[in-house]
Amino acid sequence: MTATTPVMDKALIARIPLDVNCALTEDLGGEVNANNDVTALLIGEETLATAQVITREAGVFCGRAWVDETFKQIDSRVNITWHVQDGEALIANQQLFTLTGPARALLTGERTALNFVQTLSGTASAVAAAVKHLAGSKTQLLDTRKTIPGMRLGQKFAVRCGGGSNHRIGLFDAFLIKENHIAACGSIANAVQQARSLSADKWVEVEVESLAEFRQALATGCDVIMLDNFTDHDIQHAVNEAQGQVKLEVSGNITADRLSHYASMGVDYISSGALTKHVQALDLSMRLTPHT
């Protein structure tokens, strides 16, 4: 089964070479110099090889651009033949891509390339498994800012590959007013008013911890109200009172077995930090065959 590959925005496209360069310099002693891979130097410089990369388990694939960039930076003579697309559902032992070129380069780039793919595909796979619980509902599954440091945009892309949606990217693109912001501003109303005056075009979301706070937020005309760790009883009250005036988001201790239940209550969004912070990497394998 092949899903539509999400579109990469300009920020992500610009970020990938930087992230790959950082990973390679970490592995190669501070510079992208394949000659610093002392084990690869055991192999003849002119030795050519083909390598097959497979997944040992089912999941959803993500990471093509990171693989392409890894071998581009190591040795442009490496040829990559792709057998999958980002967002494609995988079965165990499926072939993902084939590498052909200098054996040294294939081995030097192996771990960096697979680290990106296993992490991003693990994220996409977790999201896809969760999204299945929301089938047939209007509720969207959102990620959070609880991402691996340096991998924010990559993991956000992986979430989309898995069928989820993105919450704000960072601290710059939307307001998320939490309890400490409210305390510092004096009230929910003051915080929302300040947000609107600072940037009228940005999304304003308020996190609330009780129905009393929910009603205060509802009165401000904010765009989204996040119901943090609400009981089922209070979530249903909030949905009934909102009557579609504002988008409602449920967050806090989200588990797979509760997703369909929350969706049935009529909330618009469910956000979960576990999608990107509790990543179980997809199990991958590369096997190299030297040319004779």
Side-chain angles (χ1 to χ4, degrees):
M1 180 181 73
T2 303
T4 302
T5 301
V7 175
M8 287 189 174
D9 59 26
K10 291 181 180 179
L12 175 57
I13 292 170
R15 180 76 198 188
I16 291 171
L18 301 176
D19 288 344
V20 169
N21 185 269
C22 181
L24 287 173
T25 56
E26 183 176 61
D27 225 10
L28 292 168
E31 60 177 341
V32 182
N33 182 350
N35 289 328
N36 290 345
D37 180 355
V38 295
T39 312
L41 294 180
L42 300 175
I43 302 164
E45 187 175 1
E46 302 304 318
T47 300
L48 300 177
T50 295
Q52 308 288 345
V53 176
I54 67 167
T55 175
R56 296 188 182 276
E57 59 183 327
V60 173
F61 181 80
C62 182
R64 276 186 58 150
W66 287 263
V67 176
D68 289 339
E69 183 64 29
T70 295
F71 289 102
K72 175 184 176 182
Q73 292 192 27
I74 291 174
D75 193 326
S76 61
R77 293 174 295 172
V78 173
N79 180 68
I80 306 174
T81 301
W82 282 100
H83 309 299
V84 295
Q85 301 289 334
D86 288 320
E88 183 173 339
L90 307 173
I91 60 174
N93 299 312
Q94 183 173 344
Q95 192 172 111
L96 305 179
F97 56 94
T98 302
L99 304 167
T100 305
R104 286 185 181 181
L106 303 189
L107 293 169
T108 297
E110 174 187 3
R111 179 42 49 203
T112 295
L114 267 57
N115 279 349
F116 281 116
V117 172
Q118 70 185 23
T119 301
L120 295 172
S121 296
T123 301
S125 300
V127 172
V131 165
K132 288 180 180 178
H133 294 280
L134 302 178
S137 75
K138 70 167 188 176
T139 306
Q140 296 182 53
L141 183 66
L142 303 180
D143 52 25
T144 71
R145 288 171 47 244
K146 296 176 182 178
T147 52
I148 296 171
M151 287 293 292
R152 170 72 54 80
L153 296 183
Q155 284 197 289
K156 292 278 188 178
F157 176 71
V159 166
R160 301 197 301 276
C161 284
S165 301
N166 296 146
H167 208 286
R168 60 179 179 162
I169 300 302
L171 296 173
F172 60 93
D173 56 327
F175 291 97
L176 178 50
I177 300 168
K178 300 188 177 186
E179 68 274 12
N180 289 329
H181 301 104
I182 295 167
C185 290
S187 70
I188 290 174
N190 285 345
V192 173
Q193 183 179 25
Q194 281 286 89
R196 294 296 192 201
S197 64
L198 283 170
S199 187
D201 62 333
K202 281 186 169 57
W203 197 256
V204 177
E205 180 169 358
V206 180
E207 179 182 281
V208 299
E209 299 177 337
S210 68
L211 281 173
E213 288 186 348
F214 162 76
R215 292 173 183 128
Q216 293 172 41
L218 185 62
T220 68
C222 60
D223 299 296
V224 185
I225 300 176
M226 180 192 294
L227 311 176
D228 185 44
N229 286 305
F230 268 41
T231 65
D232 288 358
H233 176 271
D234 286 353
I235 290 172
Q236 198 61 70
H237 265 283
V239 171
N240 294 341
E241 290 186 35
Q243 295 183 338
Q245 298 175 61
V246 64
K247 298 289 187 182
L248 296 181
E249 175 183 336
V250 171
S251 183
N253 297 312
I254 302 300
T255 56
D257 60 323
R258 297 284 289 167
L259 289 171
S260 60
H261 176 68
Y262 288 134
S264 71
M265 299 176 78
V267 300
D268 300 283
Y269 307 119
I270 300 172
S271 59
S272 173
L275 299 174
T276 51
K277 71 172 182 171
H278 296 166
V279 180
Q280 181 173 327
L282 206 66
D283 189 7
L284 308 177
S285 176
M286 186 179 102
R287 287 293 178 265
L288 182 139
T289 304
H291 296 179
T292 55

